[in-house]
Each structure stands twice: as C-alpha cells, then as structure tokens.
Amino acid sequence: TSATLPWSATEAAHPPPPASLVNPLRLAFGLLTAVPVGRLPGVDRRSAGVAMLLAPLTTVPLLALVAVAHLAVRLGAPPLLAAGLLVTAGALLSRALHLDGLADTVDGLGCYGPPERALAVMRDGGAGPFGVAAVVIVLLALVGTSVSALNTRKAVAAGPVC
C-alpha cells in the first residue's frame, strides 16, 4: 500500500532533484559506514526512505578497498597480508554491523533457553562464546576467500562484506 512507501506513488513517479539527494546520501553513509558525514539537519520519513534506496552506494568505498588490495598483490604484496588488511578495513569501515548481528544471533540460538531468553541474550550488548566463535570463523573464511580471490588474475569483487 502507499502508506508503507517512504513517499507517495505520485512523488515516486517524479524522483527528487539531485540536490535533495545530498542529505539522504549522507544519512545512508552515516548509518551504514564509519565515514564521517557531519551533523544532519533532520531526518524525516522521506529522507530516510531515500537513504535506504541509496544504501547500496555505501559499498563503493569497500569496492575501492578491494581494488587497492588487488593492485597491491599484483605489485608484490603478500596475498595473506593484503586479505587480512582488506577484511579488517572492511569491518572497520562498515562499523562491523553484520559481525555484531551475527554474534547476537548465534548467541541467541546457542543459549538453549525458551524464546524469551534467546531474545534477551540477543538484546544484551555483550558477545558470548557462541557469538565470538561464529565471528572468528566468518573472519577466517573471509580472509581465506579474499586470499583466493586476490590470487586470481580476474577482477573479483569478493571483498569484505562485514
């Protein structure tokens, strides 16, 4: 229904002018990355909706990191070092949002309690042993696959999606 859209169907047929995309783009980068965007003047339903439509653009810095790592390996850098730095930078640049969500989810699934207890564990700010183990395994897998991707001659976008 049109009530769930960030703006009306009429407005969707006429996209906002480029100047009005600046604040939603800043909002998307501010929410999903560690890129400093300064203080936003205000967030309304429309700018939040446009920000989520622009969210895929926040991966551009990560793709640039992949390109730099690939170039560094081609110039002689050790692939394991480049992959480790790539995954670390990706996690830092993305505020480790996905890693945090993974840790919370796995901790909740591993608590062996009723659903209410699992939700309480997921809401807790700390990371338990299940969450830490899951994050370590995923980071090792990301570094391993990044080493493999960086060793290829093809341009591969298999960088850190943390």
Side-chain angles (χ1 to χ4, degrees), residues 13-58:
H14 305 285
S20 66
L21 294 178
V22 172
N23 280 337
L25 189 60
R26 288 175 56 211
L27 177 61
F29 271 91
L31 289 173
L32 301 173
T33 72
V35 175
V37 294
R39 187 172 175 89
L40 296 171
V43 178
D44 58 13
R45 185 179 169 107
R46 179 185 169 99
S47 64
V50 174
M52 292 303 100
L53 290 173
L54 298 173
L57 295 176
T58 64

Side-chain angles (χ1 to χ4, degrees), residues 2-142:
S2 64
T4 60
L5 294 175
W7 58 86
S8 73
T10 304
E11 289 174 314
H14 305 285
S20 66
L21 294 178
V22 172
N23 280 337
L25 189 60
R26 288 175 56 211
L27 177 61
F29 271 91
L31 289 173
L32 301 173
T33 72
V35 175
V37 294
R39 187 172 175 89
L40 296 171
V43 178
D44 58 13
R45 185 179 169 107
R46 179 185 169 99
S47 64
V50 174
M52 292 303 100
L53 290 173
L54 298 173
L57 295 176
T58 64
T59 63
V60 170
L62 294 173
L63 294 174
L65 288 174
V66 172
V68 168
H70 205 280
L71 179 63
V73 169
R74 295 283 73 76
L75 295 175
L80 181 59
L81 176 63
L85 291 174
L86 176 63
V87 171
T88 301
L92 293 174
L93 189 60
S94 67
R95 295 184 186 208
L97 287 174
H98 293 94
L99 294 174
D100 181 51
L102 172 69
D104 291 342
T105 301
V106 173
D107 279 338
L109 293 173
C111 79
Y112 301 114
E116 298 79 24
R117 172 76 178 124
L119 288 173
V121 168
M122 287 183 207
R123 287 187 187 114
D124 183 4
F130 287 111
V132 171
V135 168
V136 168
I137 290 166
V138 165
L139 289 175
L140 288 172
L142 280 171

